[in-house]
Amino acid sequence: MDANVIGKAELLGLPGVGKTHVLNEVDKDLSINLPLPSHKAAERKKLNKTVNVLRGGLMFPNLIFVLVLNFLKNRKKITSGLQYFRMVIVLLERSGEVNSRQVGTSDEGIYQAIWGILFRCRVPVIEEMNLLSKILSILSVDVDLIFISSSKKVHFNRYLNRLDQRCNDFFEFTNMQNYLHGRHVLAVILTYCKKNDISVSFFSNP
């Protein structure tokens, strides 16, 4: 990966695609070129997360309103209300963190949390785009996005290994429909970024 695309940035990709692995490799090989330190989801402390959730909620009450309204409007099209609101809390936490300091490169940032919310919805593309637009207009996200991909075979093997290790990943692709929907949501986000001139770099994780 080119060190020039790593700064105040977020990695985006399906669960198990290797985002944290890529960031670990960047930290080891290119840390001297990182203008800001990296932040990994697994390293965030519970107290800091709680503070960031509260900060995010206080700073962006309109975000809570939009996401609650979306749930009420589409509750029959949301696969899991519990996981939907769990990702709402994650989005508030990420938003609170980003606005509390200069956060460097993150393996689980605002865009990944948005992916988690959209993943739980089964609505037409136009509604996905509208919700994405509302969220980003409220948050005014200013980061470079790095899309991480890998071959389907490698990804599935890595994901099955994660399940064998009983990792806490609540986006288990138990069937091909969920997997394809996850890819669809990523395509929606990338399409939105292209239409709105949001910087996206692409990296294939072997």
Side-chain angles (χ1 to χ4, degrees), residues 129 132-133 136 190-199:
M129 285 286 191
L132 178 59
S133 178
L136 292 178
L190 293 175
T191 300
Y192 178 89
C193 290
K194 184 176 181 179
K195 288 182 177 180
N196 291 274
D197 297 321
I198 297 172
S199 173

Side-chain angles (χ1 to χ4, degrees), residues 57-116:
L58 291 173
M59 293 184 66
F60 305 107
N62 287 349
L63 178 62
I64 299 174
F65 174 79
V66 165
L67 293 174
V68 170
L69 187 63
N70 177 68
F71 175 79
L72 294 175
K73 177 183 176 183
N74 298 302
R75 57 186 178 276
K76 293 184 179 180
K77 302 175 183 178
I78 292 175
T79 58
S80 171
L82 177 62
Q83 298 300 346
Y84 176 88
F85 280 107
R86 184 172 184 175
M87 292 312 304
V88 169
I89 292 173
V90 171
L91 180 56
L92 290 173
E93 189 267 326
R94 302 293 190 264
S95 304
E97 181 184 46
V98 167
N99 284 277
S100 67
R101 58 180 174 174
Q102 277 196 311
V103 176
T105 307
S106 174
D107 62 340
E108 298 281 348
I110 286 176
Y111 280 92
Q112 193 69 36
I114 293 173
W115 176 88

Side-chain angles (χ1 to χ4, degrees), residues 6-9 27 31 33-39 102-105:
I6 299 290
K8 189 174 181 181
D27 281 344
S31 59
N33 295 320
L34 289 175
L36 296 170
S38 64
H39 291 269
Q102 277 196 311
V103 176
T105 307

